[in-house]
Amino acid sequence: MRRLRSWKLLLPLAALVAVGSVSVSGSLAASSQASEVRVAIMTDCKGAFAFGYELDIGGAQAAFAQYAGGKPKNRKKPSAGMTGIRVGNTPVNIVGYGCGDDTAPTAIKETRRLMEQLRADVMVGPLSGDEAVAVANYAKGKPTKTFIIGTAGSQDPTMQIAPKNMFRYHGDGAQWNAGLGEIVYKRLGWRRAAIIMDDYSFGWTSGAGIIADFCAIGGQITKRVFPPLNTTDYAPYIRQLPRPGTVDGYFWVVGGTGTGASLKAFEQAYGRLDPKQHAGNLFFAFLGADKEVAPKVVGAYVGGFGTAPGLKTKQARAYEAVIKKWYPDLPAADGFVHNYYNAAWALVLGLQKSGGRVGAALQAAMPRALKGGYEVSDNGQIRLDSRRQAIQDQYPLQIVKQGNSIVTQVVGYVPNVDQSFGGLFKPSSPPPGRAQPKCVKKKLPWQGKIKVVRNGVITNQTIR
Amino acid sequence: MSSLALDPKVAVERVVGVGVLVLLAAGPAVFNDYWISTILTQTLFFGIAASSLVFLYAYGGMISLAQTALMGISAYLLGNMVTQRVPGGETKGLTLGWDPTLALVLAIVITTLIGLVFGAVASRSLGIYFLMLTLTYAVIANYFFGQVTQFGGFSPIAGINQYTPGFVGDLIDHPDKLYYIALGTALCVYVVTRYLARTPFGLSLQGIRDDPVRMTSLGYTVPLHRTLAFGYAAFVASLAGILLVWWDGQIAPGNIGIGATIELLVMCVIGGLARIEGAWLGAFAFIVINNYVRDVELPVVGGSFNTIIGLIFLVIVLVSPDGLMGIWDRLWGAIRRGGGGGRPEPAAVGASTAREAGSS
Amino acid sequence: MFAILYVLVIAEPDDGTGGGWRTTNFGSALDDPGGFLQVLLDALTFAGLLFIVASGFSLIFGLMRVVNMAHGSFYLLAGYIAYEVQQSMTGEGFSIPGSEVNTWEWVFPMIVAAACVALLGLIVQQLLLSWNQGEDLRQALITIAVSVIIADQVIAHFPRTGVFEVGGGNAVSMTWPGWTERFVDLRLWGVQYSLARLVMLALGVVVGILLYLWLYRTKTGMVIRAGVDDRQMTSALGINIQKTFAIAFVVGAALAGVGAVVGSSQGNIASGQDTQWLLNSLIVVIIGGMGSLLGAAAGSLLYALVLTFSASYLPIIGTECCTNYSIVITFALLAIVLAFRPQGLFGRAG
């Protein structure tokens, strides 16, 4: 009797083992069969970009709804799920959403869960720079799986690492900032500037775009300051910046959560911000910064996010209508929504061409051009380069006051921005870092060709 | 019950232990790919790291929060030494491109030496002060690798598992192999640690744990014992670090951040700090919970699965101070007393109180 | 010593030539006393903020031996609550210009936020901690579980005006009252310094004085100090130590709330800062020593001084070295302090 009871205690253990062995045997079904396509959406639900969760999922699913018959379960809450996605005769199942916290280890853990446990064939994501670096390295070892980056801005995944099964239908952090340097050089007369940037791969890549653009036209970067992520008090880093008067302006590449805090620290050191002396990357205007940061710097120029809020083209209107149709509350011009939308749309097109097959067939069939919402050049098509990285139009912005609200407005149109900045960045050169790139005068493909955008209409004038 | 006969509890534990071992040895025949390559492999090497923490606590009375950092140090050392800067190769870290076998040995040796230095510095601290000092080590290691870009920087050093020693072979395409290596290592660590506890060194260490003053007056050098124990724990953690980086292929500051440090402690406590076996049990429970509690939403308070994970941990800690191993021990105690219904009821109470705390 | 000498005499301002081992952002204190004073004030004012948050942590720690790992989560929650209250009071939406915030519109959110987390602290203490007194590790783990839950709940529900519907935990910030938005002329080497930062220092000092008066001049305070010294003896004397524990926990949590309001006015509040503030509090207490008011003050000062001065005065050699390593150096110094004084600067041994 005693013995028997003691064996009862083993039941939980036995149950656990059973869970392990029952939970689907083997990965037979996954790769070659055309029976169903398993898709995972990888984003963040913790950490500094947790708010991107619904935006990313919503963007991707809006594309599935529009082009593959998906039905949102809840139009107010994209993560509630989607049913009925079909490409041709092939059902597409969203097997799971990944929950990162913008660090590499968590991204890998989640990616493994999605790709190996839930046996996804394709991943749309991840969200942030270092996550994409980690996932790109993971992708190298999984050639049959396909990865379409969601909205990550680091350069390495499609430049130095560049696995053949990874695609990116939006610019990297450097591309997003194309044109900003030239605009402040010409419009505000900046010649010498300082830059303060987050000390990690997205900060470096985003800053690299500004430095390359500003130096290419003849500007000088006199100082680079690198506050670590999660800095509590920015005052000592602000003190490292040259004092106002010794430079013409400051570029801000401090983001996620540090933007507001670092700008306040500047105010406390040198008084109210003069918008003519400050320019920032997307952290000035997107990702919630429009509410926290933008009101402090009305009038300042800002790098883009691959989107053009308020652009009056048919294609842009149509795209915004699609988002509104499926998820009425999603901000269509937010890069999170737009980039995940394009990624999922590209996947649908790829599956249509591959006849629902995944693996190498899908990778070969992935579109090399995509009619992205805000694209104008090349008949409004984003094109992929040989490393499967988008060549995309970019739109520098300005923060302006419109009535009582503060909005971002497109000021320039920079056509066909490629990842290499006309050969400045190469697979063989080190990725952006504290000292990379150097400040050099150079002819960039778009130099002197940035068109003025007025009230959402691209004019024929170039920025002077 | 006669004292000569084997204690039935020990007998049951042995049977279970052998059973689990047979099951694990059967490996791929029983479990699917994901369980082998992810859940169990992770359980094994996090269990190794956790066992170094449990060893220090159970035999030395020291709670070290530096074990995750030491794990990361060996992983970073290996990563810096083996990766190569070739086209399509790695871009982060020193990319020395050394021989993988040499690098493996160096990574373990250097980590152990660092552990000895850490241990020597901390050997005079006790209790909560020891915990604090080791936490400081963890934070230093995290910031060091995060800020000193020459050794890695904030982005991961990747592709490390391409460069394995010849006798290990290709691990990327053969996750089973890594699983068996991890299993073998875990087994060795378990056996050696148990053996160490019965050596004169282990016995005097336990004496120091219970009464350092008396042991000092008996002529034992307390700090030396503590330092050596810490060195051994660092060695064990370094093995876990090597396995981590062979498994993951990459290492980043996030692997050794304060979050990861706390996670390892949570594993140990779930399993039970009093017994070495608890380390693997805790790691297993932690990983399974984290992996499978998804897509569940709490009706009233909202929030994601993280809330649920928090609640589960809360319940475990509330129900049993000694973790799952403690529950086992107490269940056994209840049975032995003959009171059949040895099931602890406070679980339900714990859950409801936790929910209140979470929602307010 | 060398560090002090370096700051005082050796350092040279950056002349833009790439620098050498004597090149820093500022001249030496003798050549550039104004710069030195500014950096010193940066450190002191930051220490004020650190002290407010960490003193609450230290109080709980010292009396109850509870390492309250949820302290950072209390901070996070309070910051968001205060933000929401301030938003609804001014009716402004988003980032409010300082000129539209009066003192009451800053103080009232602080009271609400501090009261909310104090209540939460009381619930946690009464339900989860009061019955397992003395099990240090278990209590720490209970608070870890609580912090995981709070952090996730904050992301689910704050801010109320998110990017998309409610939640997300993105960065928002409180606004200091308008009158702090100016510079004070210190009449010393022509230094003008931000009043808001000086207010932050003043608040730290006020909190310190109030805590001192409470701990050293009232009966409750005396009981708490007696409890820190000898828990068993105090309760053996017939004093209701449980009630004292509850009070201390409530005050400690409330201080996290007050600190959060100051911190989110100074910088901002965002998901993820809970871990950072837990770490900040731990460090201050590790340096200063546990359960001592003086220790918390000394710990805040030393931490802020080292962090600020190393970021400002480390030599500049190219773009790679060395100010980027200020945080590594800060913690290395910390380890040295601990190696020689394991109990912290003002802690009692054993």
Side-chain angles (χ1 to χ4, degrees), chain A residues 208-232:
Chain A
I210 292 177
I211 294 169
D213 203 75
F214 184 62
C215 292
I217 191 116
Q220 288 284 325
I221 296 287
T222 60
K223 178 86 185 171
R224 305 175 190 204
V225 175
F226 305 95
L229 283 180
N230 303 321
T231 294
T232 310

Side-chain angles (χ1 to χ4, degrees), chain B residues 269 273 301 304 307 317-318, chain C residues 137-138 141 152-153 157 290:
Chain B
V269 173
L273 270 170
V301 293
S304 70
T307 298
V317 184
L318 288 176
Chain C
L137 185 62
R138 188 181 186 188
L141 284 152
D152 190 56
Q153 288 296 317
H157 299 291
M290 277 161 271

Side-chain angles (χ1 to χ4, degrees), chain B residues 92-119:
Chain B
K92 305 289 192 300
L94 294 172
T95 52
L96 294 173
W98 289 355
D99 175 62
T101 313
L102 173 73
L104 175 67
V105 173
L106 279 178
I108 294 172
V109 169
I110 296 173
T111 309
T112 310
L113 290 176
I114 291 174
L116 285 170
V117 173
F118 279 6

Side-chain angles (χ1 to χ4, degrees), chain A residues 197-200 225-234 237 240 254 434, chain B residues 143 146-147 154, chain C residues 307 311 323-328:
Chain A
M197 50 214 239
D198 277 336
D199 206 6
Y200 77 120
V225 175
F226 305 95
L229 283 180
N230 303 321
T231 294
T232 310
D233 184 14
Y234 279 91
Y237 299 96
Q240 290 180 29
V254 181
R434 288 187 186 138
Chain B
Y143 278 121
Q147 293 299 309
F154 199 83
Chain C
L307 198 60
T323 50
N324 302 321
Y325 306 140
S326 63
I327 204 150
V328 182

Side-chain angles (χ1 to χ4, degrees), chain A residues 140-152:
Chain A
K140 268 193 201 166
K142 302 277 171 199
T144 59
K145 310 264 181 180
T146 307
F147 297 82
I148 309 166
I149 296 180
T151 184

Side-chain angles (χ1 to χ4, degrees), chain B residues 264-289:
Chain B
L264 192 71
L265 182 66
V266 169
M267 286 180 201
C268 295
V269 173
I270 289 180
L273 270 170
R275 296 178 59 178
I276 294 290
E277 297 86 351
W280 282 278
L281 189 60
F284 179 68
F286 183 88
I287 288 159
V288 167
I289 291 170

